[in-house]
Structures are given as structure tokens and as C-alpha cells.
Amino acid sequence: MTGPAGNGPGAGGGDGPGGGDGPGAGGPGAGGAAEAAVPAEAIDPDVDLHVPAQRAERPGPVLAAIAAGGALGASARYGASLLWPAAGPGAFPWTTFWTNVAGCALIGVLMVLISEGGRTAPHPLVRPFAGVGVLGGFTTFSTYAADFSRLLDAGEAGRALAYAGLTLVAALGAVGAGAGLTRLATGLPVRGGPRGRE
Amino acid sequence: MNWLLVVAGAVVGAPLRYLTDRAVQARHDAVFPWGTFVVNVGACLVLGVLSGAALAGAAPRSLNLLLGPGLCGALSTYSTFSYETLRLYERGRRFLAAANVAASVLAGLGAVTLGSQVARQLFA
């Protein structure tokens, strides 16, 4: 009754991730008057239940894509830690620093390309594989906190605070730069998203 | 072999982040990204226990690789955390953006410290 024929509440159960519900569900025109004037955009890039297409994601293929991406991302991070090992327990963890900063720049690029301004991914498994899996597996918050804690334990309080602060500033700067430059390149507003919503 | 242990941990950790994030959001609808906060702090707690156990000689190297760079590395995420912070800021939710940064860093550090201390007591 409300939605376009064949794309109603049944879509979540019967329609696969490869089916036709992805672009239509999130597209600007499909929601009709029932939806807010502004299309729902994710705050959480892993999964945001405010986005209907993500709420309806089927676990099987999505979890497989996330696991495969996570294995790739974690392998790259582990490889980097072997190539550039920390100099010692009191040394600045540059490898983890650059891993996190690079991953943050890339998530900014990715999310603008596949979710902002009414855009949708070319395939419903792109976000689970590349965003949740590869980039989520590549970057790490636990090692960041553990490095911070280890530097404090080693009596390097100044370096611990510098590491914690510098990572935050560089990671947030990287995600902002990645998203901002990609918006510029794709013609979206440089400051993303509607302000003051919710 | 070492690499396979990291992969085995990551294959569990990354989907576990997605499932936990969904479960938290389904029970607790909020603008604040509680799902990511929970997985990051949870991974910090596990990594703290692991490092405490390793210091006490109770965690073999293979378990360290499986759970450290593998499970906890993939379960936790800096990219999701930073993109969420950016989105909150751009939507005018500047207090929530700052709160996300402060709470995540402090709770993460606290969880690592707590886990490590508990493990040292347990395995000493």
C-alpha cells in the first residue's frame, strides 16, 4: 500500500543482498512522504540501523564479506608491524600510528563514495567488505590504548600523552581530509550532511 | 603459521564487531555511537587481560597472536570511531563528538589497565 509494489516489508526477508532493494530503499525518491525529507545517512559506517537497507541486511553473505575483509585488513596491519617493528617498549609506536591514520583517511573516501548525498554502493557487500572488514580490521583501537598504557608503565608519560593526542588529531584530520577531498572531487558539499538534524 | 593465527582471530573479530554493533543499536537507539564504543572498550579489556597474562607468563605466544593482533585488532576499530566523530561534528552534534573522543580514549585506557591488573593478580 505504502511503498512501490514488491518492495514493501517483505524485501528484508525474501530479497538477497544482490537483489534490487538496495538503491531503491535508500534513494531520494523511494521513501515517499512517509520518510523524512532528508534521506537517512549513516553516522556509524559499520552498520547503522537508522538506514533501512542496512537494517534489512541478511547476515550470511554480509558476515562472510566482513570476515574476508577483516582477514585482509588484519594481515596488512600485522605485516606492517613485522616490517616496521617498534624500537622498544618505550618507543613511539609509529607503525600503529600510521596504520590508524591511513585507515581513517580511506574510510573518509569510501563512505563519501558509497553513502553520502544519496549515493549507494555499486554492490551491497562493498561496505561490509571494504569498510567494516578491511578498514575496520586494518585499524585498531585496542592496540592504540595498549600502547598508550605501555608507555605510561614505562615511565614515558610525556611520550604516552603525545602519542595519544597526536593519533587523535592525525586520525580525525585524516578522516576529515579524506571525506572533504572526495566530496570536492565528486561535487558534493564539502561540509557533509544536513546540519541540526535529529 | 603466525600469520594464520592472526587471520583466525580477525575472521572472528571483525564479524563480532558488526554483530555487537547491531545488537547494541537494536536495544539502545541513540545518536551517540554506543555500538562502536562498546566493541572498542571490550577489545581493550580483552587485550589488557591478555597483556597481563603474558607478563605473568600465563599466555603463550600463539594465544597472544590469535587474540591480540587477530581478535582484538579486528574487533576494535579506529576508522569507524573517527568517521563517526566526523559525522557527529558535521551534524552540529559537537558535544557528542567531543564526548565520543574523550569517553572512548579514557574508557579504552581504563579497560586496558583494569584488564592487565586483574590478569596479573589472577596469574601471578
Side-chain angles (χ1 to χ4, degrees), chain B residues 96-111:
Chain B
L96 284 183
N100 188 37
V101 169
S104 296
V105 172
L106 291 177
L109 180 66

Side-chain angles (χ1 to χ4, degrees), chain A residues 56-95:
Chain A
E57 271 177 347
R58 289 201 318 171
V62 167
L63 291 180
I66 294 171
L72 271 178
S75 294
R77 171 168 41 77
Y78 180 61
S81 76
L82 295 179
L83 277 175
W84 302 287
F92 194 97
W94 284 112
T95 306

Side-chain angles (χ1 to χ4, degrees), chain B residues 18-70:
Chain B
Y18 173 85
L19 291 173
T20 307
D21 202 344
R22 274 196 86 110
V24 169
Q25 287 182 37
R27 281 157 189 75
H28 194 87
D29 182 25
V31 180
F32 188 85
W34 284 112
T36 306
F37 177 83
V38 166
V39 288
N40 274 342
V41 174
C44 287
L45 187 67
V46 174
L47 192 60
V49 169
L50 189 69
S51 66
L55 277 175
R61 183 172 155 73
S62 56
L63 188 68
N64 258 303
L65 286 167
L66 180 75
L67 297 182

